[in-house]
Amino acid sequence: TELAQIRNFSIVAHIDHGKSTLADRLIQLTGTVAERDMKSQLLDSMDIERERGITIKANTVRIEYPAKDGKTYILNLIDTPGHVDFAYEVSRSMRAVEGSLLVVDATQGVEAQTLANAYQAIDADHELVPVLNKIDLPASEPEKVKAEIEDVIGIDASQAVPISAKTGIGIPDVLEAIVARLPSPKGDRSAPLKAMLVDSWYDPYLGVVVMIRVMDGVIKKGDRIKMMQTGALYGVDKLAVLKPQMVDIAELGPGEIGVFTASIKQVRDTRVGDTITHEKKPCDKALPGFKPAQPVVFCGLFPVDAADFEALRDAIEKLALNDASFSYEMETSAALGFGFRMGFLGLLHLEVVRDRLEREYDLDLITTAPSVVFKLHMRDGEVRELHNPADMPDLTYVDHIEEPRIKATIMVPDDYLGDVLKLCQDRRGIQMDLTYAGSRAMVVYDLPLAEVVFDFYDRLKSVTKGYASFDYQMLEYREDNLVKMSILVNDEPVDALSIMVHRDRAESRGRVMCEKLKELIPRHMFKIPVQAAIGGRVIARETIAAMRKDVTAKCYGGDVTRKKKLLEKQKAGKKKMRQFGKVEIPQSAFISALKMD
Ligand code: GTP
């Protein structure tokens, strides 16, 4: 294909502003998929994505579009994830294309992720076409939102395309704008092959599928290729484009996007951002590399039923085939038994992986409180990473502790600003900026990630009735006065409940946790002390009183089936309890005890 007739682009938007709906419309209007095969939200291939309306894995589709100028163009759309956890995937896909459609919901205006994604596109030197969506709704205010785009983001919005991805209004204008306003790719067909590895995933029938963007040269089926970073050599078995189902193609030239298979065993054998070239006639310089995504949020996952441990291991290993972005290692906990310590790109990533394990593999899991990676500067000069508060060494060996800080951008209607500031302040935030766009404020805070990973987002949504939007990026590691707080139940420390806290907040956190546990742990035949401690010093204490009456007595005398039913219920309930010493702790307590509201 002539370079002049190719356009490569992505769609960026805040969550729910209509990115997937627009992608579906573009595909539908150009007849890429027959009407009867059109499922809504075609690009969100995984069930969970569809249910939650969140796009997680970057997908791509090749569209043929006969433009008004009489020529037929190849439009390659790369679908990018919209959520903050996946910012890394967004930035990687952006390098593979030359332009973006910036979709803004005309009833909502610019939100935190509109801003973050727009800047990522600008950083990748993209041409941006602003698109105002949902103009079918009476509440839409396209003119006001145009002004907002110019004010807040600082790009020209005078040519923004008004559309309704739902009803189809304006979709032909979007296609024309892509052709007229986005640049065509550059590249040299006669140069040695240079292609970027954009993404890879595991397909149960084909094995690992690798998505590439060709920069220079031509790749053909049967070629012997080399991955420049890993040095691995492969033969190309299958070469295809995505429409969005795979359609075989003889070759891919400069500017083109497609996929290949090459008997690669696992996703972990491929590096996103790697340069692919020919084994015999390699290009002289690799593309600038990408740093691999680092897990930032860790938590423990344990089977509710200890007998499911092997099943959990199997499930995690299978998932890892397709997702190289989480880490896992075995963990044993005195309270919870055998499980895994897992690392994720963010909270949403954690939720998605846990949900998939529970649903696709039918497992019941206990998740311990998410924690961040602390850096321990030991007295002997060593720097250690702490992934689990339970592993915190004795403080006498530790010189100081650093924690990750983030730069959080929150956009919120004026009315709720006070509540947002209070929330950020409560979470040890430092205000960096506060500006206004119309009746909405944009606040920027420097916050400890540890204070955000747990329930910050939920709290933000609840204090602003859902009107605030949030985005963050990593800032730096910084020293603070952090200590490990242990929880003791019946005088024994419960490892899964240990947390790292700021010393100034330890007492109030400890008090709240003890009070909550007092509510969460059922009464036993004896008195149970619940304590919070730092080192050997108890900082808070509650007591669960002993049970007075034997409740099972109520079962006697009733009819047999009812009694049986009650016993069944008891058995099921027992499964949800963890025996800890002489005390039974309900699994729900491991998370509920940590909530700060
Ligand atoms: P993520 O995949 O979560 O990033 O969201 P998205 O940006 O892809 O949004 P999506 O396309 O899922 O649309 C969000 C919601 O808005 C859905 O309920 C759509 O049906 C609705 N929607 C999208 N476009 C329009 C539109 O033009 N008009 C109206 N009224 N609703 C729309």
Side-chain angles (χ1 to χ4, degrees), residues 13-22 41 44 52-55 81-83 133-137 163-167:
H14 187 74
I15 278 185
D16 277 348
H17 283 201
K19 188 182 65 190
S20 308
T21 313
L22 173 58
Q41 310 264 307
D44 292 353
R52 301 185 161 209
I54 305 162
T55 314
H83 191 277
N133 190 30
K134 308 198 187 180
I135 57 157
D136 59 297
L137 295 175
I163 68 160
S164 164
K166 191 169 181 181
T167 67

Side-chain angles (χ1 to χ4, degrees), residues 9 16 25 38 54 76 137 232 234 264 282 322 325 328 336-337 363 408 427 430 444 470 479 481 486:
F9 70 104
D16 277 348
R25 273 300 156 265
M38 194 75 198
I54 305 162
N76 287 306
L137 295 175
Y234 296 102
I264 301 169
N322 205 8
S325 56
Y328 61 100
L336 299 171
L363 292 163
R427 301 292 171 101
I430 303 166
V444 183
F470 168 73
E479 182 183 347
N481 194 358
S486 320

